[in-house]
Amino acid sequence: MRVLVTGGSGFIGANVVDQLKKAGFAVRIYDMVYPSGIEGVEFYHGSLLDAMALRFAMTGCQYVMHLAAMADVNDVVADPLYAEEINVRGTINILDAARRAKVKRVVYASTIWTYSDVKDAFVTEETLIPPPAHLYTATKLAGEHYCRAFNGLYQLPYTILRYGIPYGPRARGATVISKFVSMALAGQSITIAGDGLQFRKFVHVGDLAHGNILALKPAGANQIYNLEGTEKVSIKQLAEWVKEHANPKIEVIHTPAREGDFKGAEISNKKALEQLGWKPEIEFLTGLKQVIEEKKKEIQNERTLDLVAA
């Protein structure tokens, strides 16, 4: 079985590719960026806006995992037109190419940000979602609706995965954990938007990647699943842990709250556990310490290269 992974060179995508390979799938990456440190896969260079390139790349693929997106909310706010092109039109291009290629399933990477405007303190996949107030949430929900529409009109099977806040190897520098760790190791103060009492249930990227594999089970067809962490960690607590384990000498500073920020709610993983057998396996503090150690090694390697170049 061959799987096309859009965004397979990115943070979550690269980890999904690793686990697909381990599970015995043939993997093809479709991305604008050449994959680094990934071997034994096919690579197709192209944009989500190039419908013909997508059709070509999807030839011979049985499954598509659509992870490519503009995922940083700050980037979305800065360039809403491009965000709409990539996240919305890019997704409909994927779905159209998939139905033409007669793929067996499209797995769409959505987000728990879809619950940002829900007033309920506890949410499941069945919770009614009000009209989104943030551009990023609007684009991701549009992709979800397109998945359902293509299933109804063209019988194209889908699985929607609403990712929790990811962390771990290959993380983008803009993600909150990577940013805090980098700042601490550089001796810079950690800044927190607001009072820092808003919580997250961070989920390790390895657990997310495993969820993508399990989503290919027959039970996952035409379903939505939350893939959320289980441990409540406030942003303030995160900053204190990073300070403790990375650099106790730094300060933690508060700045004004960020518009559209996800305030936090209890998000149920029960459906993913019951139907797919998925649950987070990596404890947060264990994963955080790994991130810190990996970042230290990265910094040391960069210093070594600088010395050699000098």
Side-chain angles (χ1 to χ4, degrees), residues 110-116 162-165 226 228 262 267:
S110 189
T111 172
I112 61 165
W113 276 70
T114 57
Y115 299 117
S116 295
R162 289 175 177 162
Y163 292 160
I165 310 298
N226 297 326
E228 169 77 312
F262 180 57
I267 297 175

Side-chain angles (χ1 to χ4, degrees), residues 188-222:
Q188 300 173 1
S189 299
I190 294 177
T191 56
I192 298 175
D195 57 19
L197 298 181
Q198 65 271 34
F199 73 83
R200 299 287 185 268
K201 288 184 174 179
F202 296 100
V203 58
H204 194 278
V205 68
D207 286 327
L208 281 184
H210 186 52
N212 276 71
I213 310 304
L214 294 176
L216 295 178
K217 288 184 175 183
N222 305 324

Side-chain angles (χ1 to χ4, degrees), residues 40-272:
V41 301
E42 297 177 285
F43 175 70
Y44 283 58
H45 181 270
S47 167
L48 294 179
L49 305 180
D50 190 336
M52 292 305 297
L54 281 171
R55 292 180 195 177
F56 181 70
M58 222 169 280
T59 302
C61 293
Q62 286 71 48
Y63 298 101
V64 174
M65 292 193 174
H66 178 35
L67 280 70
M70 183 181 283
D72 190 308
V73 293
N74 295 318
D75 292 340
V76 173
V77 171
D79 197 343
L81 295 182
Y82 185 62
E84 185 276 337
E85 287 182 330
I86 295 299
N87 291 1
V88 182
R89 281 183 256 176
T91 296
I92 203 169
N93 284 341
I94 287 287
L95 293 168
D96 190 58
R99 64 109 175 175
R100 291 173 185 274
K102 300 186 184 303
V103 304
K104 294 183 177 181
R105 184 100 58 85
V106 173
V107 177
Y108 173 65
S110 189
T111 172
I112 61 165
W113 276 70
T114 57
Y115 299 117
S116 295
D117 300 292
V118 173
K119 303 303 181 184
D120 301 348
F122 179 82
V123 297
T124 73
E125 293 85 352
E126 303 303 318
T127 298
L128 293 179
I129 297 175
H134 198 279
L135 292 168
Y136 174 63
T137 311
T139 65
K140 297 306 288 184
L141 281 171
E144 290 192 11
H145 290 307
Y146 283 161
C147 287
R148 296 189 190 93
F150 267 73
N151 177 252
L153 291 170
Y154 307 110
Q155 294 74 55
L156 174 65
Y158 67 86
T159 303
I160 295 169
L161 301 178
R162 289 175 177 162
Y163 292 160
I165 310 298
Y167 75 104
R170 303 185 178 106
R172 292 179 293 111
T175 59
V176 63
I177 291 177
S178 294
K179 187 175 180 180
F180 280 9
V181 170
S182 294
M183 292 171 71
L185 293 178
Q188 300 173 1
S189 299
I190 294 177
T191 56
I192 298 175
D195 57 19
L197 298 181
Q198 65 271 34
F199 73 83
R200 299 287 185 268
K201 288 184 174 179
F202 296 100
V203 58
H204 194 278
V205 68
D207 286 327
L208 281 184
H210 186 52
N212 276 71
I213 310 304
L214 294 176
L216 295 178
K217 288 184 175 183
N222 305 324
Q223 298 293 328
I224 300 174
Y225 297 102
N226 297 326
L227 302 184
E228 169 77 312
T230 56
E231 301 174 68
K232 280 187 179 181
V233 179
S234 72
I235 301 302
K236 182 178 180 181
Q237 179 65 73
L238 170 62
E240 293 297 335
W241 273 343
V242 171
K243 176 179 178 179
E244 177 184 353
H245 295 285
N247 188 349
K249 297 180 180 180
I250 63 169
E251 293 184 278
V252 176
I253 299 173
H254 294 263
T255 61
R258 183 174 61 175
E259 287 297 321
D261 201 7
F262 180 57
K263 300 302 186 297
E266 290 284 355
I267 297 175
S268 173
N269 287 331
K270 184 179 179 181
K271 184 178 177 181

Side-chain angles (χ1 to χ4, degrees), residues 6-16 29 31 33 35 38 169-172:
T6 71
S9 300
F11 170 34
I12 300 175
N15 284 276
V16 169
I29 293 174
D31 208 312
V33 179
I38 303 176
R170 303 185 178 106
R172 292 179 293 111

